[in-house]
Amino acid sequence: MQYIPNILFAILLIVGIGFFVKNINKLRRNINLGKDIDRSDNKSERWRNMINIALGQSKMVRRPVSGLLHIIVYLGFIIINIEVLEIIIDGLFGTHRFLHSILGDGIYSFLIGTFEVLAILVLVSVIIFWIRRMIVRIPRFWNKEMKGFPKNDALYILYFEMVLMTLFLVMNATDTSFQQANVGNPISQFLAPLFNSFSAETVHLIERAAWWIHIAGILVFLNYLYYSKHLHILLAFPNTFYANLKPKGQFPNDATVTKEVQMMMDPNADPFAAPAEGAEEEVSEKFGASDVTDLNWVQLMNAYTCTECGRCTSVCPANQTGKELSPRAIMMKTRDRLEEVGKNIDSNGGTFKDDNKQLLNDYITPEELWACTTCNACVDECPVNIDPLSIIMDMRKYLVMEQSAAPQELNMMMTNIENNGAPWQYNQMDRLNWKDEE
């Protein structure tokens, strides 16, 4: 009978970690549905980006208040969960505060004391985040795409963190032997008197309940990440590492288009020539993207990494002037469609069954795409280097090159460039007339 709690703990741990691994494998599968792209260049710069942006939160602190609060929550939550190692050892082997006997009073007191101080700071920061969202009602948290689950998701995480930090402090405050040792309890020592009116058995029961709910809550939180915008806790690191390093505004050349242009410029080229003997005939490539599988894997990882913070949308000039475009919504809709495709594959034995839907039109409208000014403000603002503009431009490419569905103004401009060598409708011979004007 004495081993039943250890067995139950082992089962809880195996189920929790097993479900997490299953979801991570599904996540990798979905991201790998994207086209291949080489992002292995300049590794030193990529490592610097990851360390500065993902670990160092350098872009978060551009907005000092939210940036500082986020750093407290981020560091506090990660550091406090180091104690999970001790909880796992105690749960599996039936020990109690195993690390205390290994580290001694001094180091253990410093560690647990630091955890308690951070727990209070995290709790205060999370409450401030809740006030900013629900009472101050900062506008970027209330855009039209932030309804239903996206709005509630942020609140669920705040409540999760409040409960986990409270449980940690209650667990320490009701641990009688821990309080009597008076090591590492700078905060919980002031909470312990709240339980003086309870019997020793009741206090022990509260401590055990807080211990079990705390570790169960951590495992639930770990598995909730896959369904939440807080997946960025894990993906921010690879996302910043594989981010585009080229100057903003430099768009990639399409190899197929480049080849066609080179052929047009070559007077000796025969566009109708048959392939050389033994050479495979090239299959015409689809230009641009109409669905998530037309995007590359970095763009799909971007969609899963989106924190839905709304910084991108808050600086978007198109959105600020009342147009339909929201860069945050572009990423959210891409992720929603990718999840739908993944579920389709799961329910059809590992293959995708055509559902007569696609990212373009069913999720993202041409109106949204053409509202973009390509200013890169959203790319520059994103705290984890997400690139909504690349998705917008790939979908625009599809509209223009596959469907000839550019707006009339753009068609006129392209016609003028073709005929006059300039976007404006005047004869090439008149291009220098301005110099004769007084």
Side-chain angles (χ1 to χ4, degrees):
M1 291 289 291
Q2 63 176 333
Y3 296 111
I4 289 179
N6 309 91
I7 294 171
L8 291 175
F9 182 86
I11 293 172
L12 176 66
L13 194 64
I14 291 169
V15 170
I17 294 177
F19 193 66
F20 174 73
V21 171
K22 179 182 177 182
N23 280 337
I24 290 298
N25 288 333
K26 188 185 298 184
L27 176 69
R28 290 180 60 186
R29 189 275 315 275
N30 289 354
I31 291 174
N32 286 330
L33 293 174
K35 291 182 176 180
D36 190 30
I37 185 174
D38 184 10
R39 289 286 173 86
S40 60
D41 60 320
N42 298 321
K43 282 189 170 56
S44 60
E45 185 176 356
R46 294 187 180 282
W47 281 109
R48 280 197 302 271
N49 280 348
M50 188 179 75
I51 292 170
N52 291 334
I53 299 172
L55 186 63
Q57 308 278 295
S58 61
K59 295 182 75 173
M60 282 296 302
V61 295
R62 289 181 179 178
R63 303 189 183 193
V65 174
S66 59
L68 178 60
L69 293 173
H70 188 274
I71 288 175
I72 291 173
V73 173
Y74 168 72
L75 291 179
F77 194 77
I78 297 299
I79 293 173
I80 291 168
N81 281 325
I82 294 175
E83 199 196 17
V84 173
L85 174 63
E86 182 179 57
I87 291 177
I88 291 174
I89 294 173
D90 289 346
L92 291 176
F93 300 102
T95 55
H96 183 71
R97 295 197 178 264
F98 173 79
L99 293 181
H100 188 188
S101 61
I102 299 296
L103 300 176
D105 287 354
I107 297 177
Y108 191 77
S109 176
F110 173 77
L111 282 177
I112 303 300
T114 301
F115 296 165
E116 288 198 355
V117 172
L118 284 172
I120 285 294
L121 291 176
V122 170
L123 198 54
V124 171
S125 298
V126 167
I127 292 172
I128 294 174
F129 274 138
W130 186 88
I131 292 172
R132 281 162 51 87
R133 185 175 291 269
M134 300 303 296
I135 297 179
V136 179
R137 295 177 72 90
I138 294 175
R140 62 189 168 96
F141 297 137
W142 294 90
N143 288 67
K144 62 181 180 181
E145 65 265 21
M146 298 303 292
K147 295 179 180 177
F149 179 75
K151 182 191 76 172
N152 294 331
D153 178 34
L155 297 176
Y156 295 156
I157 294 294
L158 295 180
Y159 298 146
F160 249 120
E161 291 171 343
M162 289 179 191
V163 170
L164 289 176
M165 294 303 102
T166 301
L167 286 169
F168 171 73
L169 293 171
V170 169
M171 179 180 72
N172 283 356
T174 53
D175 187 341
T176 305
S177 61
F178 174 70
Q179 290 299 322
Q180 289 174 347
N182 196 29
V183 290
N185 59 341
I187 303 299
S188 60
Q189 64 177 311
F190 299 106
L191 299 178
L194 298 176
F195 303 93
N196 286 344
S197 60
F198 296 96
S199 66
E201 292 78 8
T202 302
V203 171
H204 177 70
L205 185 63
I206 293 173
E207 187 271 336
R208 287 291 82 193
W211 187 92
W212 277 98
I213 297 172
H214 180 70
I215 186 62
I218 289 173
L219 291 173
V220 170
F221 179 85
L222 182 68
N223 283 285
Y224 178 71
L225 289 181
Y226 174 78
Y227 307 96
S228 167
K229 74 189 185 75
H230 283 73
L231 191 56
H232 74 271
I233 293 174
L234 305 177
L235 290 184
F237 294 92
N239 198 79
T240 51
F241 183 85
Y242 290 111
N244 187 13
L245 298 180
K246 293 180 179 178
K248 294 179 179 65
Q250 179 180 332
F251 295 108
N253 290 325
D254 189 298
T256 306
V257 174
T258 300
K259 183 177 179 181
E260 291 294 325
V261 172
Q262 288 173 342
M263 182 176 289
M264 291 170 60
M265 300 292 289
D266 183 358
N268 299 317
D270 182 1
F272 302 104
E277 186 175 350
E280 294 184 4
E281 186 173 357
E282 292 187 11
V283 179
S284 178
E285 182 185 356
K286 178 180 180 179
F287 294 105
S290 63
D291 210 349
V292 288
T293 51
D294 301 322
L295 300 171
N296 64 58
W297 65 267
V298 174
Q299 291 170 315
L300 300 186
M301 183 169 63
N302 280 182
Y304 274 121
T305 310
C306 179
T307 69
E308 297 177 14
C309 65
R311 293 188 179 203
C312 55
T313 296
S314 70
V315 298
C316 174
N319 187 271
Q320 289 177 352
T321 54
K323 294 184 175 61
E324 190 67 20
L325 174 65
S326 166
R328 172 173 56 188
I330 295 292
M331 304 314 301
M332 293 171 66
K333 292 173 181 178
T334 301
R335 182 186 61 217
D336 290 345
R337 173 57 180 166
L338 182 54
E339 273 292 289
E340 184 178 50
V341 170
K343 291 175 182 176
N344 184 308
I345 293 173
D346 290 336
S347 61
N348 289 288
T351 58
F352 178 74
K353 183 178 180 181
D354 187 13
D355 57 0
N356 296 315
K357 295 172 70 176
Q358 59 180 2
L359 182 62
L360 180 63
N361 294 319
D362 291 303
Y363 284 82
I364 299 173
T365 65
E367 181 185 358
E368 294 173 79
L369 299 174
W370 292 116
C372 178
T373 66
T374 68
C375 68
N376 269 292
C378 58
V379 182
D380 183 67
E381 188 69 16
C382 179
V384 287
N385 279 14
I386 291 170
D387 188 357
L389 180 57
S390 67
I391 295 177
I392 293 172
M393 294 306 295
D394 280 351
M395 296 183 74
R396 278 185 176 183
K397 184 190 294 185
Y398 177 83
L399 287 170
V400 173
M401 301 187 73
E402 292 283 345
Q403 294 192 331
S404 299
Q408 182 181 0
E409 296 86 354
L410 185 57
N411 281 328
M412 289 176 59
M413 182 196 73
M414 291 188 290
T415 300
N416 289 333
I417 290 175
E418 182 179 359
N419 295 334
N420 306 321
W424 303 280
Q425 192 171 6
Y426 53 71
N427 192 290
Q428 291 192 45
M429 300 299 294
D430 297 331
R431 293 183 68 174
L432 296 178
N433 286 353
W434 62 271
K435 68 181 179 61
D436 297 324
E437 297 178 4
E438 293 184 359

